[in-house]
Amino acid sequence: MCGIVGYVGRSVDGGIAGHSALDVVLEGLRRLEYRGYDSAGVAVVSKGAIESRKKSGKLSNLIAELEAHPLPETVTGIGHTRWATHGGPTDRNAHPHLADGGKLAVIHNGIIENFAELKLELLDFAELKLELLDKGVTFLSETDTEVAAALLADIYRNKLAGDTAEGRLTRAMELACQRLEGAFTLLAVHADQPDVVVAARRNSPLVVGLGEGENFLGSDVSGFIDYTRRAVELGQDQIVTITAETVEITDFFGNPAAGKEYHVDWDPASAEKGGFSSFMEKEIHDQPDAVAQTLLGRSDINGKLTLDELRIDPELLKQVNKIIVLACGTAAYAGMVAKYAIENWCRIPTEVELAHEFRYRDPILDANTLVVSISQSGETMDTLMAVRYAREQGAKTISICNTNGSTIPRESDAVLYTHAGPEIAVASTKAFLAQITAAYLLGLYLAQLRGNIFEGEIKDVLADLNKIPAKIQKILDNAGPLRELARSMANEKSVLFLGRHVGFPVALEGALKLKEIAYIHAEGFAAGELKHGPIALIDEGQPVFVVVPSPRGRDSLHAKVVSNIQEVRARGARTLVIAEEGDEAVKAYAEYVFYVPETPTLLMPLLTTVPLQIFAAELAQAKGYDVDQPRNLAKSVTVE
């Protein structure tokens, strides 16, 4: 979940022919800071030596350090923004870590699970050969990364001592990776090879950027989008060596391997704030387009769904008799919404599981089980490992993902991309709505294949979905009073959220957003569960958001939820209601009502979620917090 960047450009007579490595790396780190902001660091290769700077805290601290202590201009460099796993967020634990007497620099994303065993082995070896103690076999940090750097240096300096400099760092990386266990991306530079960056990946994201007379590495394409749109996916257990002119890929045993080239279809401006106070605000306002883009091109002129990305034999999908949705956090709430829709349209039993619990309970899967994973980044480690387990058990796997070329889609049988554009803020907004939209499309497609509902009904649902972007925009345009409410509640210590049916996952997501970015106690409950215990939390003045279902429809839960409002209000709660336009009945029981446009019940989460996002963002900003980079969180959780 750290951000990593590597760059090699051209030099002419010792000078820079293209871009400065430091400029490229810092710009990449700026775009990748959402992946980790506990510390940041850079290393460059110049005149046969490694020079490095690193600082705890946000990237601005590193930039200040570089202004005070500049690095030389050069064509080779690596950089890192950290989300702390091993060791606290200190200067000493920041990356890069140096080894081989300061001639080798390493940065790392992930966790080395056997670091303690390797560390003891390296220290024992140093004790036996005391001369090594003068060459850097000491450990200055609490990190597993420094152990990987020491192992790489030991192999480079001792096991490959007779090798020529050319290719030596790549061979050392291959041998080191054969020893490492866990999930990792490693980037390394060595003073002996000043025009080379070597990188390796296992269960952790890494992508190559292809330039003209320069090449790039990044934990995602944001790291080099300012310079090239050509990218190469790397496979599992692969090593890549880049120079200004070449990209060579091998496996961990030195065998030639190949990546898959693709084109990045969004530009740098898509990752900028666009005049909003934060990326989160921008991404909330991006949601009409995110939903529209996810719907675009998914049906033909007759209204029949054509999900070309789902390259699974339709006959196999017709045989599915159980669906399991795997996800974590916000994506899991999208999965809960998907369950209601898929079971309604397809009549297939559907379970929603937290990915990190899934494979540890010995779940029952077979060839007729369809596992649907949901991940914005496509690199969520818990979800990736659950998908791998499902495939091992013979289940069919489909990924709902926002990031082209990421690991989970590559390792799934099929993928449904959400096309929401880059989401930079750590707290997810537009990706959540796009995930729900994609899940609706998947449910309708399965119903179409299986003949569960008539084609005309599918066409009607798609027509209703295509109206959603304009309805979201209407909510955004009328959010002024909601923002005022949020600012007035900046000093609240606790907020509760209630919902039923598809309103329940919306309540959970509303509470999560408030916890993530405002750091106050917030809980979401199924409204019917209230009287079974949670009502004990209600005290005088307790704010309670209630997501009220539509009063329309034969099986409406509207009356029951209105009763829930009365129950908490009778005990002193301050009731804040999200309701459908035209629902006058709730006014008598609510201190505040925010209305959303009418839409069919199953599609309501695409609208009722938006006011809760706006509320959380406005309240957090009123408290003076950075909503884009909430404490202790990272955008992509790439460790288990």
Side-chain angles (χ1 to χ4, degrees):
M1 57 188 68
C2 305
I4 52 177
V5 183
Y7 174 76
V8 183
R10 279 182 305 189
S11 62
V12 176
D13 298 327
I16 296 173
H19 296 101
S20 159
L22 189 58
D23 290 345
V24 173
V25 168
L26 288 176
E27 177 60 23
L29 293 184
R30 185 182 70 80
R31 293 196 181 280
L32 291 172
E33 193 178 12
Y34 70 91
R35 296 182 66 94
Y37 38 87
D38 290 338
S39 62
V42 294
V44 298
V45 187
S46 176
K47 298 179 180 178
I50 299 283
E51 293 202 42
S52 177
R53 304 285 185 271
K54 55 185 184 177
K55 291 293 289 183
S56 61
K58 294 189 177 182
L59 183 61
S60 57
N61 293 356
L62 173 64
I63 292 172
E65 175 72 7
L66 288 166
E67 289 173 352
H69 303 95
L71 288 175
E73 294 294 320
T74 180
V75 296
T76 305
I78 57 176
H80 186 270
T81 63
R82 181 173 185 246
W83 188 83
T85 50
H86 283 230
T90 63
D91 289 356
R92 182 172 291 184
N93 290 332
H95 302 204
H97 289 284
L98 303 183
D100 196 14
K103 297 180 70 176
L104 172 74
V106 173
I107 59 177
H108 166 223
N109 178 19
I111 291 179
I112 307 298
E113 293 177 354
N114 61 333
F115 83 100
E117 169 192 332
L118 292 170
K119 187 172 186 177
L120 287 174
E121 181 181 312
L122 288 161
L123 287 171
D124 288 345
F125 186 62
E127 290 287 339
L128 291 170
K129 295 198 172 185
L130 295 179
E131 68 272 15
L132 293 178
L133 291 173
D134 296 328
K135 296 184 179 180
V137 188
T138 56
F139 294 97
L140 304 177
S141 76
E142 305 166 276
T143 69
D144 53 345
T145 307
E146 192 179 11
V147 177
L151 174 66
L152 187 62
D154 173 49
I155 294 170
Y156 186 95
R157 183 175 61 251
N158 296 306
K159 294 182 174 60
L160 301 178
D163 288 21
T164 58
E166 184 177 357
R168 186 171 170 188
L169 184 58
T170 301
R171 291 191 293 276
M173 183 70 82
E174 291 166 358
L175 293 172
C177 288
Q178 293 172 31
R179 300 291 315 280
L180 298 176
E181 297 173 7
F184 53 84
T185 295
L186 294 168
L187 267 66
V189 290
H190 198 285
D192 292 349
Q193 294 179 257
D195 57 353
V196 170
V197 179
V198 177
R201 75 167 294 264
R202 168 180 284 169
N203 297 330
S204 186
L206 180 64
V207 64
V208 181
L210 303 177
E212 296 293 331
E214 57 186 358
N215 287 302
F216 309 80
L217 294 167
S219 42
D220 68 47
V221 296
S222 298
F224 49 74
I225 191 63
D226 287 275
Y227 305 96
T228 183
R229 305 278 192 88
R230 294 175 61 206
V232 175
E233 300 173 3
L234 291 178
Q236 175 76 330
D237 287 3
Q238 288 188 344
I239 289 172
V240 60
T241 303
I242 66 168
T243 69
E245 305 293 344
T246 63
V247 173
E248 295 183 3
I249 303 172
T250 64
D251 64 18
F252 284 1
F253 295 90
N255 301 307
K260 179 182 177 183
E261 184 174 346
Y262 64 99
H263 186 268
V264 182
D265 58 4
W266 51 269
D267 58 28
S270 298
E272 297 296 341
K273 293 180 183 177
F276 291 97
S277 61
S278 64
F279 281 113
M280 185 175 183
E281 278 287 345
K282 176 186 180 293
E283 289 157 10
I284 289 172
H285 284 78
D286 283 346
Q287 290 180 120
D289 188 58
V291 172
Q293 290 296 320
T294 300
L295 292 169
L296 189 65
R298 307 291 196 179
S299 59
D300 61 22
I301 58 174
N302 298 314
K304 188 175 182 179
L305 280 162
T306 54
L307 303 186
D308 295 333
E309 296 158 311
L310 292 185
R311 295 184 176 92
I312 294 180
D313 185 346
E315 293 303 315
L316 294 177
L317 290 177
K318 288 179 183 178
Q319 296 169 23
V320 167
N321 58 25
K322 182 170 72 172
I323 295 174
I324 299 175
V325 182
L326 298 175
C328 303
T330 287
Y333 302 147
M336 291 176 68
V337 175
K339 171 184 169 68
Y340 286 100
I342 291 171
E343 288 192 338
N344 181 273
W345 293 328
C346 303
R347 312 311 299 164
I348 304 174
T350 302
E351 305 169 9
V352 183
E353 300 243 12
L354 294 172
H356 42 79
E357 296 295 322
F358 175 67
R359 63 195 179 109
Y360 298 105
R361 66 166 187 82
D362 196 18
I364 300 170
L365 307 170
D366 59 28
N368 294 325
T369 304
L370 176 64
V371 171
V372 179
S373 63
I374 306 178
S375 168
Q376 189 281 142
S377 67
E379 302 292 350
T380 309
M381 184 55 62
D382 299 305
T383 307
L384 172 60
M385 300 309 289
V387 168
R388 287 177 176 170
Y389 177 86
R391 294 196 72 186
E392 289 169 2
Q393 302 304 308
K396 300 294 181 292
T397 58
I398 293 176
S399 165
I400 293 175
C401 183
N402 191 46
T403 306
N404 190 290
S406 54
T407 304
I408 294 173
R410 293 207 313 269
E411 297 199 14
S412 299
D413 295 310
V415 59
L416 190 56
Y417 283 114
T418 52
H419 303 304
E423 188 177 66
I424 304 302
V426 169
S428 182
T429 52
K430 66 176 180 177
F432 178 60
L433 262 60
Q435 288 164 352
I436 293 173
T437 304
Y440 288 151
L441 292 172
L442 177 60
L444 289 170
Y445 179 72
L446 292 173
Q448 176 179 282
L449 283 180
R450 298 163 64 89
N452 294 100
I453 58 178
F454 296 116
E455 286 187 11
E457 293 178 86
I458 294 174
K459 193 171 182 179
D460 289 344
V461 176
L462 288 173
D464 287 324
L465 277 169
N466 280 298
K467 295 174 185 175
I468 291 292
K471 293 178 179 180
I472 296 172
Q473 189 60 55
K474 185 176 180 181
I475 293 171
L476 296 171
D477 292 342
N478 294 294
L482 183 64
R483 295 181 186 279
E484 291 179 15
L485 173 70
R487 290 191 294 270
S488 74
M489 293 175 61
N491 294 321
E492 292 290 346
K493 303 299 182 186
S494 174
V495 181
L496 304 182
F497 296 78
L498 303 178
R500 291 198 71 158
H501 195 254
V502 289
F504 174 38
V506 172
L508 292 170
E509 173 63 7
L512 178 60
K513 282 293 156 285
L514 210 51
K515 284 184 274 197
E516 285 179 315
I517 62 175
Y519 318 143
I520 66 174
H521 172 261
E523 293 294 336
F525 297 106
E529 189 71 5
L530 194 67
K531 55 187 173 292
H532 297 284
I535 200 167
L537 293 171
I538 305 301
D539 201 354
E540 190 67 34
Q542 170 68 54
V544 180
F545 268 98
V546 186
V547 182
V548 179
S550 169
R552 298 173 293 117
R554 184 183 61 190
D555 299 321
S556 172
L557 289 166
H558 182 270
K560 296 185 186 302
V561 176
V562 169
S563 294
N564 293 137
I565 298 173
Q566 292 174 287
E567 288 168 356
V568 296
R569 194 163 185 256
R571 289 158 177 83
R574 183 184 179 194
T575 51
L576 314 168
V577 170
I578 309 295
E580 187 180 76
E581 287 176 350
D583 186 356
E584 297 296 321
V586 298
K587 281 187 174 179
Y589 312 109
E591 181 173 322
Y592 175 88
V593 183
F594 185 88
Y595 286 110
V596 300
E598 288 187 12
T599 205
T601 296
L602 282 173
L603 309 188
M604 284 296 289
L606 293 173
L607 303 183
T608 52
T609 301
V610 179
L612 301 182
Q613 296 170 339
I614 295 168
F615 174 82
E618 194 70 28
L619 190 150
Q621 288 176 319
K623 292 172 76 73
Y625 296 143
D626 182 345
V627 299
D628 289 337
Q629 297 180 346
R631 68 190 183 200
N632 303 332
L633 299 178
K635 183 64 178 173
S636 179
V637 182
T638 56
V639 293
E640 259 199 301

